[in-house]
Amino acid sequence: MTAVIDSPTAPGDHAARRPVLPPLRLGPVTIPTPVVLAPMAGITNRAFRRLCREFGESAGNGEAGRCLYVSEMITSRALVERTPESMRLITHDPQENPRSVQLYGVDPATVRAAVRLLVTEDRADHVDLNFGCPVPKVTRKGGGSALPWKTELFRGIVAGAVAEAEPYGVPVTVKMRKGIDDDHLTYLDAGRIARDSGVAAVALHGRTASQSYSGQADWSAIARLRETITDIPVLGNGDIWSAEDALDMVARTGVDGVVVGRGCLGRPWLFADLVSAFAGGASRVRPSLAEVGAALRRHTVYLVDFYDGDEHRACRDIRKHIAWYLKGFPAGHEIRHRLALVDALSDVDELIASLPADAPWPGAPAEGPRGRAGSPRQVALPDGWLDSRELTGESARIVAQAELSVSGG
Ligand SMILES: Cc1cc2nc3c(=O)[nH]c(=O)nc-3n(C[C@H](O)[C@H](O)[C@H](O)COP(=O)(O)O)c2cc1C
């Protein structure tokens, strides 16, 4: 990978460097570089985590290159039922350290059972709980980002997960949004409840559910949470597209670490930049199109392994990444179109070979937002959900169905 020293004033990347932040401590687990790959359904499977991890490690000196790479969300019910897909999703590479799993759930007993499965069978070293999902089919049943509104239900899920995990030395963290909408913010209460329930850290995506992915993430809310929750790490999430954005978030919010999602789409080498930046270095990866093609190929090969040798499935999966990898490069419409229809690794090879390999990193056109954007909307909620922060009989019945409505993530 082509690395450049970005800043003309930088004394060189090997000069004495000072880490920007200390390692992230999640209970007994230490993450040397306090950067987290955000859980992303359909994206952060074992293959993509490996790619990001390898880039991160390539920039760090051994241990220093270690970050936290979270799985895509796994429905606790599906896990308890040991569906083949959820069992695939919780599988880690032997090199993954720590092995991190994100769970989604609405029923304290089911979430507890899922955590119990993970810890008693030694399948995870870290469990993250997802309270940020804004998808209507989830919030309509009171799940995801609608759930922290019901404070006792939220407490029950979090405390139950911690009670199962703690004896095994497995830290539990919570990932959440600011709230349902600007009139129904939940993050400060939820942060306090999570801390009092024994979580090792809380991560905040600075948007409400009603914002979906639109507008700008509110980093001032992240700063506010940091000021409110002083005794466990607070992680900031939302709109980090470059290593500079990550440093900026740390400077502006005081967080103990950052969570990066869409910035890595088609840019797994962002982890090399992040590891370098958090070590105080100025080296940044600016790949040529040939290098991007090599990363895309490596991603496909890892997906073939993830899908047990099924090239067709791996190729169907890689198709959604193509536009992200090629963003800003002079790859014509026809080749993009053909790449988006690949069926076998040999197709991928043939098409990569036909790209103008010597095309350099295009700069600004390749940077900035990718992936989901969406527009603001009214959040779908069960009838009467906002009337009270307690879970009443009818709401309880609706919530119990929420877990059944999501599969695999
Ligand atoms: C395709 C996609 C899938 C996502 N899936 C999950 C998920 O499974 N669990 C979760 O907590 N958040 C999920 N998210 C939200 C991200 O983890 C993250 O909070 C959000 O994208 C904001 O961070 P960013 O601006 O760095 O992308 C998903 C986001 C995207 C774009």
Side-chain angles (χ1 to χ4, degrees):
M1 277 277 160
T2 310
V4 297
I5 308 292
D6 243 7
S7 159
T9 55
D13 224 30
H14 300 291
R17 310 189 306 189
R18 291 194 47 219
V20 171
L21 284 177
L24 175 62
R25 296 198 196 284
L26 302 178
V29 171
T30 298
I31 316 290
T33 297
V35 172
V36 181
L37 171 64
M40 287 185 283
I43 308 284
T44 58
N45 50 36
R46 186 155 52 84
F48 189 67
R49 294 198 304 271
R50 177 175 177 189
L51 196 60
C52 292
R53 188 180 75 242
E54 289 177 349
F55 278 115
E57 285 170 358
S58 73
N61 224 334
E63 268 291 283
R66 218 149 53 73
C67 303
L68 178 63
Y69 303 90
V70 184
S71 77
E72 56 189 296
M73 75 168 172
I74 292 145
T75 305
S76 49
R77 182 169 203 115
L79 182 57
V80 170
E81 289 170 357
R82 294 178 189 266
T83 64
E85 197 50 25
S86 61
M87 297 313 277
R88 180 203 305 282
L89 293 180
I90 61 160
T91 307
H92 292 84
D93 280 336
Q95 294 80 3
E96 289 194 72
N97 176 24
R99 298 163 300 165
S100 174
V101 170
Q102 190 192 52
L103 291 178
Y104 163 83
V106 291
D107 169 43
T110 312
V111 174
R112 264 192 99 129
V115 174
R116 193 179 312 133
L117 183 155
L118 290 172
V119 297
T120 57
E121 298 179 16
D122 188 22
R123 293 177 182 272
D125 306 306
H126 162 238
V127 174
D128 184 47
L129 299 175
N130 177 357
F131 294 103
C133 188
V135 173
K137 74 174 179 183
V138 168
T139 57
R140 190 176 294 125
K141 300 270 174 70
S145 48
L147 199 142
W149 181 253
K150 301 294 183 188
T151 44
E152 288 316 304
L153 176 61
F154 176 73
R155 189 191 308 276
I157 292 173
V158 177
V162 171
E164 291 295 334
E166 206 162 42
Y168 291 83
V170 173
V172 174
T173 56
V174 157
K175 180 165 174 287
M176 59 189 179
R177 286 191 177 231
K178 280 171 64 183
I180 293 175
D181 55 34
D182 284 342
D183 296 326
H184 302 89
L185 297 177
T186 52
Y187 70 104
L188 294 176
D189 290 341
R192 287 188 201 99
I193 294 171
R195 176 201 56 200
D196 297 345
S197 304
V199 304
V202 287
L204 178 64
H205 175 193
R207 286 186 173 84
T208 60
S210 84
Q211 282 179 286
S212 185
Y213 291 86
S214 68
Q216 203 65 27
D218 174 8
W219 289 6
S220 69
I222 296 171
R224 181 113 194 264
L225 183 67
R226 169 67 292 174
E227 285 159 18
T228 308
I229 308 291
T230 50
D231 31 15
I232 54 170
V234 171
L235 308 175
N237 173 230
D239 297 349
I240 292 174
W241 303 102
S242 66
E244 282 55 47
D245 290 344
L247 297 179
D248 197 23
M249 179 189 275
V250 171
R252 283 168 49 191
T253 64
V255 284
D256 304 280
V258 297
V259 183
V260 184
R262 292 165 298 163
C264 309
L265 298 176
R267 302 283 178 273
W269 53 85
L270 180 55
F271 270 85
D273 289 1
L274 289 163
V275 166
S276 163
F278 275 81
S283 163
R284 305 289 182 266
V285 174
R286 298 285 180 268
S288 65
L289 187 50
E291 290 169 317
V292 170
L296 167 60
R297 182 180 200 279
R298 191 141 62 98
H299 190 170
T300 316
V301 169
Y302 293 169
L303 281 168
V304 173
D305 177 58
F306 174 63
Y307 289 118
D308 302 320
D310 185 339
E311 271 189 40
H312 181 67
R313 215 168 155 198
C315 285
R316 273 197 348 243
D317 189 314
I318 200 69
R319 290 175 191 175
K320 62 175 170 267
H321 296 268
I322 304 278
W324 298 326
Y325 276 109
L326 296 182
K327 183 173 184 249
F329 279 102
H333 177 73
E334 203 216 309
I335 197 158
R336 284 169 195 260
H337 182 69
R338 286 177 56 208
L339 269 165
L341 295 173
V342 285
D343 265 330
L345 196 52
S346 55
D347 297 344
V348 176
D349 282 340
E350 197 184 305
L351 286 162
I352 288 175
S354 67
L355 290 169
D358 53 354
W361 178 251
E367 282 149 19
R370 290 177 305 286
R372 285 181 190 170
S375 41
R377 58 176 179 233
Q378 179 138 21
V379 182
L381 294 169
D383 280 348
W385 188 254
L386 295 174
D387 296 348
S388 150
R389 297 205 66 174
E390 267 145 54
L391 191 63
T392 54
E394 177 57 9
S395 307
R397 194 186 62 75
I398 293 172
V399 164
Q401 294 171 1
E403 216 152 327
L404 302 176
S405 67
V406 205
S407 56

